[in-house]
Amino acid sequence: MASISPVEIAPSILAADFASLGDAIRAVERGGARILHVDVMDGHFVPNISIGVPVVASLRKATQLTLDVHLMIENPERYIDAFAEAGADMISVHQEATPHLHRAVHAIKEHGCRAGVVVNPATPVSTLTEILPDVDYALVMSVNPGFGGQSFIPGAIEKIAQLRQMRSGYTRTFRIEVDGGIGPDTVASVVRAGAEILVAGTSVFHSPDPEAAVRGLQRLASEAVLQRV
Ligand code: DX5
Ligand code: ZN
């Protein structure tokens, strides 16, 4: 029997106009988004610098949406307190960014936030075996982190399917998120594989109508859920 689980679109504000973030948020709220993805980059773990703690604090005042903070930073455990106190609801850390993944995940949970672990395209999901029972979500990068607007890497589909398979062996469950190159052409394949939270930056905010773009992705995702095997 097909497994039916709700799929959510998480617009990534990395692709929005930073001078008009309030307008961008209102548009995706009208489109039905419930999660807002916030990309934090430090110029070390990834070759780009983006958003920091004060922006998350401002977003918290501007919206009730779930704030999904994706830390693309080295030694993320140093900043978990600050992002949690700024109002993050979900915080994810890269497997590759810290030798203390377990400590980082538990620090996130101690703040009452949902904890996520992220893998880059070249990192096997098998490296997550020991941490998966402790996380609330696992995020598969379908591009190399650091920039929006890149092409989807098809190898992510198999990794999503593997995570879904691994999940059946755990008593505690986690959700599966995918990030990078998600748009009308890629939604169905990642949802069929098992993705449940779809991050979408360019395909939402570079669209002439972000509200309609969220609705369109949501519709495609909901159709694809029914095709899961
Ligand atoms: C990439 C970021 C993504 C990015 C996705 O490093 O983690 O969240 O915003 O952008 P698109 O949807 O344009 O690939
Ligand atoms: Zn991201």
Side-chain angles (χ1 to χ4, degrees), residues 1-4 161 164-165 188 191-194 224-229:
M1 189 182 138
S3 80
I4 308 291
R164 189 166 165 233
Q165 187 67 36
V191 171
R192 274 192 232 113
V225 169
L226 303 173
Q227 297 160 9
R228 270 193 197 141
V229 285

Side-chain angles (χ1 to χ4, degrees), residues 178-193:
V178 62
D179 183 4
I182 300 297
D185 297 340
T186 47
V187 164
S189 59
V190 296
V191 171
R192 274 192 232 113

Side-chain angles (χ1 to χ4, degrees), residues 71-81 83 91-94 96-101 104 108:
L71 297 182
M72 286 163 277
I73 64 179
E74 284 177 5
N75 302 121
E77 55 274 17
R78 292 174 59 198
Y79 295 95
I80 286 165
D81 292 356
F83 281 104
I91 300 178
S92 60
V93 293
H94 273 255
E96 307 87 359
T98 174
H100 302 295
L101 194 54
I108 295 167

Side-chain angles (χ1 to χ4, degrees), residues 15 19 29 87 188 198 202:
E29 285 174 344
L198 314 185
T202 302

Side-chain angles (χ1 to χ4, degrees), residues 10-15 37-41 46 70 72 94 139 141-152 178-183 199-204 206:
S12 166
I13 57 167
L14 187 66
H37 186 81
V38 183
D39 287 305
V40 177
M41 304 178 183
V46 292
H70 175 192
M72 286 163 277
H94 273 255
L139 170 47
M141 289 307 300
S142 41
V143 297
N144 285 296
F147 302 93
Q150 303 180 83
S151 297
F152 180 82
V178 62
D179 183 4
I182 300 297
V199 177
T202 302
S203 67
V204 169
H206 290 198

